[in-house]
Coordinates of all heavy atoms in Angstrom, one line a residue:
S465 N -6.1 -1.5 -22.5 CA -5.0 -1.5 -21.5 C -4.0 -0.4 -21.8 O -3.5 0.2 -20.9 CB -4.3 -2.8 -21.6 OG -5.2 -3.9 -21.6
A466 N -3.7 -0.1 -23.1 CA -2.8 0.9 -23.4 C -3.2 2.3 -22.9 O -2.5 3.0 -22.3 CB -2.6 0.9 -24.9
K469 N -3.0 2.6 -19.2 CA -1.6 2.8 -18.6 C -1.3 4.3 -18.6 O -0.5 4.7 -17.8 CB -0.6 2.1 -19.5 CG -0.3 0.7 -19.0 CD 0.8 0.1 -19.9 CE 2.1 -0.1 -19.2 NZ 3.0 -1.0 -19.9
E676 N -8.4 5.1 -27.1 CA -9.0 4.0 -27.8 C -9.6 3.0 -26.8 O -9.2 2.9 -25.6 CB -7.9 3.3 -28.6 CG -6.7 2.7 -27.8 CD -5.8 1.9 -28.6 OE1 -5.6 2.2 -29.8 OE2 -5.3 0.8 -28.1
T699 N -1.0 -14.1 -30.2 CA 0.1 -13.4 -29.5 C -0.5 -12.3 -28.6 O -1.3 -11.5 -29.1 CB 1.0 -12.7 -30.6 OG1 1.5 -13.8 -31.4 CG2 2.2 -12.0 -29.9
F700 N -0.1 -12.3 -27.4 CA -0.7 -11.3 -26.5 C 0.4 -10.3 -26.0 O 1.5 -10.7 -25.6 CB -1.2 -11.9 -25.2 CG -2.3 -12.9 -25.5 CD1 -2.2 -14.3 -25.4 CD2 -3.6 -12.4 -25.9 CE1 -3.2 -15.1 -25.7 CE2 -4.6 -13.3 -26.2 CZ -4.4 -14.6 -26.1
A701 N 0.1 -9.0 -26.0 CA 1.0 -8.0 -25.4 C 0.2 -7.1 -24.6 O -1.0 -7.0 -24.7 CB 1.7 -7.3 -26.5
W702 N 0.9 -6.4 -23.7 CA 0.2 -5.5 -22.7 C -0.3 -4.3 -23.4 O -1.2 -3.6 -23.0 CB 1.0 -5.2 -21.5 CG 1.0 -6.3 -20.6 CD1 2.0 -7.2 -20.4 CD2 -0.1 -6.8 -19.8 NE1 1.6 -8.1 -19.5 CE2 0.4 -7.9 -19.2 CE3 -1.4 -6.3 -19.6 CZ2 -0.4 -8.6 -18.3 CZ3 -2.2 -7.0 -18.8 CH2 -1.7 -8.1 -18.1
E703 N 0.3 -3.9 -24.5 CA -0.2 -2.7 -25.3 C 0.2 -3.0 -26.7 O 1.0 -3.8 -27.1 CB 0.4 -1.5 -24.8 CG 1.9 -1.5 -24.6 CD 2.5 -0.3 -23.8 OE1 2.4 0.8 -24.3 OE2 2.9 -0.5 -22.7
R704 N -0.5 -2.2 -27.6 CA -0.2 -2.4 -29.0 C 1.3 -2.0 -29.3 O 1.8 -1.1 -28.6 CB -1.0 -1.4 -29.9 CG -2.4 -1.8 -29.9 CD -3.2 -1.2 -31.0 NE -4.5 -1.8 -31.1 CZ -5.5 -1.2 -31.6 NH1 -5.4 0.0 -32.1 NH2 -6.7 -1.8 -31.6
D705 N 1.9 -2.7 -30.2 CA 3.3 -2.5 -30.5 C 4.3 -2.8 -29.3 O 5.4 -2.4 -29.3 CB 3.6 -1.0 -31.0 CG 2.5 -0.5 -31.8 OD1 2.0 -1.3 -32.6 OD2 2.1 0.7 -31.7
G706 N 3.7 -3.4 -28.2 CA 4.6 -3.7 -27.1 C 5.3 -5.0 -27.3 O 4.9 -5.7 -28.3
D707 N 6.2 -5.4 -26.4 CA 6.8 -6.8 -26.6 C 5.7 -7.8 -26.2 O 5.0 -7.6 -25.3 CB 8.0 -6.9 -25.6 CG 9.1 -6.0 -26.0 OD1 9.1 -5.6 -27.2 OD2 9.9 -5.7 -25.1
A708 N 5.7 -8.9 -27.0 CA 4.7 -9.9 -26.7 C 5.0 -10.6 -25.4 O 6.2 -11.0 -25.1 CB 4.7 -10.9 -27.9
A709 N 4.0 -10.8 -24.6 CA 4.2 -11.5 -23.4 C 3.9 -13.0 -23.7 O 4.5 -13.9 -23.0 CB 3.2 -11.0 -22.3
I710 N 3.0 -13.2 -24.6 CA 2.8 -14.6 -25.0 C 2.8 -14.7 -26.6 O 2.1 -13.8 -27.2 CB 1.4 -15.1 -24.5 CG1 1.4 -15.1 -23.0 CG2 1.0 -16.4 -25.1 CD1 0.1 -15.5 -22.4
R711 N 3.5 -15.6 -27.1 CA 3.6 -15.6 -28.6 C 3.0 -16.9 -29.1 O 3.2 -18.0 -28.6 CB 5.1 -15.6 -29.0 CG 5.7 -14.3 -28.9 CD 7.2 -14.3 -29.1 NE 7.9 -15.0 -28.1 CZ 8.2 -14.4 -26.9 NH1 7.9 -13.2 -26.7 NH2 8.9 -15.1 -26.0
D729 N -1.1 -13.0 -17.8 CA -1.4 -12.3 -19.0 C -2.5 -13.1 -19.7 O -3.5 -12.5 -20.3 CB -0.2 -12.3 -19.9 CG 1.0 -11.9 -19.2 OD1 1.1 -12.2 -18.0 OD2 1.9 -11.3 -19.8
Q733 N -5.9 -11.4 -20.5 CA -6.1 -11.1 -22.0 C -7.2 -12.1 -22.5 O -7.6 -11.9 -23.6 CB -4.8 -11.2 -22.7 CG -3.7 -10.3 -22.3 CD -3.9 -8.9 -22.8 OE1 -5.0 -8.6 -23.3 NE2 -3.0 -8.0 -22.5
L938 N 8.9 -10.1 -18.4 CA 8.2 -8.9 -17.7 C 6.8 -8.9 -18.0 O 6.3 -8.7 -19.1 CB 8.9 -7.6 -18.2 CG 8.2 -6.4 -17.7 CD1 8.3 -6.4 -16.2 CD2 8.9 -5.2 -18.2
S939 N 6.0 -9.3 -17.0 CA 4.5 -9.3 -17.3 C 3.9 -8.9 -16.0 O 4.4 -9.1 -15.0 CB 4.1 -10.7 -17.6 OG 4.2 -11.5 -16.5

Side-chain angles (χ1 to χ4, degrees):
S465 312
K469 267 183 112 167
E676 63 173 38
T699 299
F700 298 108
W702 281 106
E703 49 193 291
R704 288 199 177 157
D705 321 320
D707 292 339
I710 296 183
R711 282 175 290 283
D729 314 31
Q733 300 283 9
L938 176 57
S939 71

